[in-house]
Amino acid sequence: MITGTLLTEKNLSAQRPILFRYALLQLRDSDLADDVVQETLLAALQSASSFEGKSELRTWLIGILKYKIADHWRRSARESTVSKFTLTDEDEGETEQDDFFMSSGHWNHGPKAWSDPEAALKQQEFWTIYETCQTNLPPKMAKVFMLRELVGLEAVEVCRETGLSEANYWVIMHRARLRLRECLEIHWFNTTKKEKHHA
Amino acid sequence: MRSCRDISALISQGLDKKLSLGERFAVWLHVMMCIRCRNFRTQSQFIRKAARHYTDNLQSRLDRKS
């Protein structure tokens, strides 16, 4: 059931950047990511007839991409490598308990002002810290955050990908931002005043 | 009066969807008086920007390694 407008090469290649970022984050190799995306788009064109206009084009493509990535892991006999995106965490997201806020709902360690965050973006050391902070998020939270902010999927697409309810999605993203913010503040923006703090 | 927990949750949601008029008003009113929530808003926006730079950086770092 092809709706001709949906499966043009132009429409497919418009999805390329998102597919590439998705593949890059999992494969950590840009040539490989390129290849896998190429294969995905080719497969999409070849199996155009199996695309039912019902599902979103991007969702359909990501489905193929995931298959291609899994295929790559199988071929390269690195099955033991657990991709970040397949991990889950039991806990995070549901409970109201955290130490960002007091029981009254007021900030516990509230966000302080950061001096010149723009300058940080240009510094190599900042990115090392950024990556560490991002990697230290609980696995599922990291996945949700990365699908939204790094890959660039819409919130609904992230929910579809991860099987989260919308309500849980908001809780997880809120918490991811709180954690990242705190981590960056402690390890980058506030390093002059060394304070003991839970990471 | 909504708490900082609620307001920061709304600020976070506002990055991913359009808030209702009432919600936007509540945030606006709150951040006028609350420097911490104001910082949270600025910093969440910054984190989004940083995340968007991240994959580009990752790519060039990976390319340099190989």
Side-chain angles (χ1 to χ4, degrees):
Chain A
M1 204 181 298
I2 314 169
T3 42
T5 50
L6 278 172
L7 270 178
T8 62
E9 284 181 38
K10 188 168 166 244
N11 283 339
L12 284 177
S13 63
Q15 301 298 331
R16 201 191 175 98
I18 283 200
L19 296 175
F20 177 76
R21 292 198 293 271
Y22 190 105
L24 183 71
L25 287 169
Q26 296 220 44
L27 297 167
R28 317 284 292 183
D29 180 319
S30 45
D31 291 336
L32 204 54
D34 232 4
D35 290 348
V36 172
V37 171
Q38 197 83 22
E39 283 175 34
T40 300
L41 294 176
L42 192 64
L45 279 174
Q46 284 166 346
S47 58
S49 58
S50 74
F51 176 66
E52 301 184 20
K54 276 178 263 166
S55 74
E56 296 282 330
L57 177 59
R58 194 192 280 161
T59 305
W60 183 64
L61 290 173
I62 287 177
I64 301 175
L65 179 64
K66 282 199 286 199
Y67 177 81
K68 294 289 177 191
I69 291 172
D71 209 32
H72 162 78
W73 293 128
R74 273 193 295 274
R75 268 188 320 226
S76 63
R78 285 172 61 193
E79 285 159 272
S80 60
T81 310
V82 182
S83 142
K84 261 184 204 155
F85 282 13
T86 64
L87 292 169
T88 52
D89 37 287
E90 8 18 79
D91 64 286
E92 291 291 335
E94 327 293 331
T95 58
E96 271 289 292
Q97 265 222 313
D98 58 59
D99 38 350
F100 297 114
F101 301 96
M102 297 182 283
S103 53
S104 61
H106 288 292
W107 289 101
N108 210 349
H109 311 281
K112 301 184 178 117
W114 292 353
S115 70
D116 207 358
E118 292 299 315
L121 295 175
K122 298 189 193 86
Q123 288 172 262
Q124 195 54 56
E125 298 84 356
F126 171 78
W127 290 110
T128 310
I129 286 167
Y130 175 87
E131 187 166 47
T132 307
C133 290
Q134 189 172 263
T135 311
N136 284 343
L137 295 175
K140 188 162 187 183
M141 188 184 285
K143 176 183 176 176
V144 171
F145 178 82
M146 287 163 92
L147 287 174
R148 173 70 186 119
E149 299 287 28
L150 276 60
V151 176
L153 296 185
E154 299 296 332
V156 281
E157 295 174 308
V158 178
C159 290
R160 216 179 289 143
E161 272 286 293
T162 53
L164 280 179
S165 70
E166 206 187 311
N168 278 344
Y169 171 85
W170 300 124
V171 174
I172 288 184
M173 282 303 286
H174 184 207
R175 205 154 297 174
R177 286 172 174 133
L178 287 166
R179 280 184 181 244
L180 273 175
R181 189 214 71 70
E182 184 179 69
C183 185
L184 292 174
E185 184 164 295
I186 293 168
H187 298 288
W188 181 263
F189 290 104
N190 203 25
T191 44
T192 47
K193 292 172 256 160
K194 290 257 186 259
E195 284 172 10
K196 280 241 179 71
H197 209 297
H198 61 282
Chain B
M1 188 70 217
R2 299 206 209 193
S3 70
C4 295
R5 185 202 293 274
D6 294 345
I7 292 297
S8 65
L10 284 178
I11 289 171
S12 176
Q13 287 183 26
L15 288 168
D16 297 338
K17 70 168 181 190
K18 194 165 163 59
L19 298 180
S20 73
L21 190 63
E23 289 167 333
R24 272 180 286 153
F25 183 70
V27 170
W28 177 77
L29 204 62
H30 184 102
V31 297
M32 277 206 304
M33 301 172 298
C34 177
I35 179 78
R36 289 177 161 193
C37 285
R38 206 150 64 227
N39 286 339
F40 177 75
R41 185 175 59 181
T42 317
Q43 290 164 10
S44 299
Q45 288 160 349
F46 171 76
I47 286 169
R48 160 158 296 176
K49 189 171 177 182
R52 289 190 175 161
H53 279 64
Y54 174 80
T55 33
D56 299 338
N57 290 346
L58 177 67
Q59 191 184 347
S60 53
R61 255 192 300 149
L62 290 170
D63 290 346
R64 232 178 293 137
K65 247 181 247 170
S66 56

